[in-house]
Amino acid sequence: MSKLALAILFDPESQESCGSPSFMSHTLSKDPQPTSGDEDDVGDTGRIPLEEWLPITESRKGNVYTATFHLLCSGLGFQVLLLPAAFAALGWGWGIIILTVGFAWKLYTTWLLVNLHEAVHGTRFSRYLRLAIASFGVKLGKLLGIFPVMYLSGGACSILVITGGKTIKQLVHILSEDDTVPLTTLHCFVIFSCLAVLLSQFPNLNSLFGLSLIGGVMAVAYSTAIWSLPLTRDPQRVHQNNVSYSIRDRSFDNIFNAIGLIAISLRGNNLILEIQGTIPSYPKNPSSKTMWRAVVISHMIIAVCMFLVSIVVYWTYGDKIPSTGGPIGNYLKLYEHGYSKRAACFIHITFIFNCLCSYPINLMPACDNAELVYVTKRKKPCSIFVRMMFRVFLGLVCFFVAVGFSFLPYLAVLIGAVALLVTFTYPCFMWISIKQPETKSLMWVVNVLVGSFGASLSVLLVVASALHLAEKGLHANFFKP
């Protein structure tokens, strides 16, 4: 990367002239600290004083355990329940092949991001948008990065409100004796949002370790329950309803919509750099080593859960699974009948806890950006009250989006296809831009091909999802959750 690009990246005036607040300045700290993490300037290279005021990099005391559970909580979410629906549309062979290739693809781009975190000597890219600006320039970096990153932050939180709120309503329905639900969907949205905003008041990303631990354990718990419960049933009873594995709709839009369901389940790359930013770095032990160990551990667990849920649930229900995507509740309803009320409640409760614990870590990039604007303008760190108000305001925005657009889960593939560039495409071209491998070398060819294929896939998914919606229709009830 050229010195001019670095100057633009780190110069406050040039950042502001391009419509973005500066995010790095050596003149703002009231109590200047060594930028290296210790007084001998031998560790945590690239620490910027201003970053000590922002929630993502305020604490760099993370380790392989904290990073593992952050990755597990952010990477194994409610989207795993969509995988059996994708298998119902693709069948056994193509379902397993596409899920395997997609998972390996995600693991490769994760490796790229982990190694790009400190690709420039003395600098740590602890935010995805910052790396995009360093790779593609200020204007193009913002153009390509802002919408996907903000959608994966605020948009994910809005969908969590919708999913978690409707799951609370289903849980109340299961527990009620007379099949009545005393709470409306709006009431459930309010309950979920209040709890989620309360949990979002932790000061920084590293302090969310406890929530990530609970969220990761809950995700593994309901995933295990979902695939293990069918195995406990009598095989003859499982297939007494004439379960079929034949593919009824082989149209372009249905097949690619199913591929989109698999693709959006492979989420989490938008938080890789942020999570790595909580880990200290030293010349003899760079953060990339610790982070990659955490990636391997967490993704082994994620892979086991994803493949078992996909294979076992599809084997159990076959063509009975709704293959159109949409609300997660459509798939949880499969466990309301045929199993004990205790089992159904366990799945719903652990699912709700996972959604609540995932909310703060997904909201953190938006909180960081909001505090960035404040810190740049006021030239002082946010007080506890200001930080709390930012979290409440962003929580209200996500709540109103969830209430006004409660049909967002039906648009998951359409909108998510654009955000998929963050996972499957951008890291490849970032590597080429920053590492500058020799033209036509192995890494150059691989990244060009993989990145180009990812961009093409995103376009195909947008087209397929639009055709799918045009054929099936969309009941868009604004402000009527």
Side-chain angles (χ1 to χ4, degrees), residues 334-353:
L334 296 172
Y335 292 83
E336 290 185 19
H337 307 287
Y339 300 96
S340 67
K341 179 180 289 189
R342 183 179 300 177
C345 288
F346 175 81
I347 291 175
H348 284 72
I349 290 173
T350 51
F351 184 82
I352 292 167
F353 270 96

Side-chain angles (χ1 to χ4, degrees), residues 1 5 8-9 15 18-20 23 127-150 369 421-422 426 429-430 433-434:
M1 186 165 49
I8 294 176
L9 180 64
Q15 286 282 331
C18 293
S20 172
F23 52 79
R127 293 157 185 83
Y128 196 100
L129 183 58
R130 212 170 284 181
L131 180 60
I133 292 173
S135 303
F136 308 129
V138 176
K139 292 183 179 180
L140 185 59
K142 292 177 185 176
L143 179 65
L144 296 177
I146 285 180
F147 172 76
V149 171
M150 288 300 99
N369 283 333
L421 296 169
V422 169
Y426 292 166
F429 295 117
M430 288 174 174
S433 176
I434 293 180

